[in-house]
Amino acid sequence: VQLQASGGGLVQPGESLKLSCRAPRDMNLDRWAIAWFRQAPGKEREGVSCIRNSDGNTYYTDSVKGRFTISRDKSKNTVYLQMNNLKPTDTAVYYCATDQIDYYCEEDFKYQYDYWGPGTQVTVSS
């Protein structure tokens, strides 16, 4: 499974970005979990948000609640991460990941997803 992540860039604090994670067209996402992770320089990778495509449930790490929104477009086999009011602490490489085990999408982001896309750099700086 090859995921394609895009949408990163350089923005100033307070601005927005929208990341996209596209799955192959022949992949039925209905029972897959898709998550966004990020890794900042010198830090461990952390879960940011995820969506269970079976029921649409979503989860967010505390630091992005109220600012980030995960959504999906089934017709395009794409999951989005709308990031508003970005902060310098959001600077990281963002990765999307997916797994057939739907309950992997949960609030603690403790499970290891099987399939990962290449990262996209998000830099928030004035």
Side-chain angles (χ1 to χ4, degrees):
V1 175
Q2 289 188 335
L3 303 175
Q4 295 181 358
S6 61
L10 171 63
V11 297
Q12 294 188 345
E15 293 186 340
S16 300
L17 278 175
K18 187 174 185 178
L19 304 183
S20 300
C21 176
R22 190 165 72 178
R25 289 185 176 229
D26 59 353
M27 177 177 162
N28 184 350
L29 290 180
D30 282 349
R31 293 195 175 276
W32 291 63
I34 291 189
W36 287 97
F37 290 80
R38 66 185 180 186
Q39 188 165 21
K43 294 189 176 181
E44 292 187 356
R45 187 177 64 199
E46 66 168 341
V48 176
S49 181
C50 64
I51 184 167
R52 291 183 185 177
N53 280 298
S54 61
D55 57 16
N57 281 355
T58 59
Y59 298 91
Y60 300 90
T61 192
D62 286 344
S63 63
V64 307
K65 286 179 180 177
R67 300 188 298 122
F68 290 12
T69 303
I70 192 169
S71 62
R72 59 185 174 176
D73 184 337
K74 286 189 173 183
S75 68
K76 297 181 179 179
N77 251 21
T78 299
V79 170
Y80 303 98
L81 186 67
Q82 177 67 45
M83 306 185 295
N84 297 330
N85 190 21
L86 282 161
K87 304 176 180 181
T89 50
D90 295 317
T91 296
V93 178
Y94 284 70
Y95 301 89
C96 63
T98 189
D99 202 286
Q100 288 183 324
I101 302 177
D102 208 30
Y103 67 75
Y104 274 21
C105 173
E106 45 78 50
E107 60 186 0
D108 294 325
F109 300 95
K110 59 181 177 288
Y111 294 106
Q112 293 292 326
Y113 284 64
D114 277 344
Y115 305 102
W116 292 77
T120 184
Q121 176 71 46
V122 172
T123 303
V124 185
S125 175
S126 55

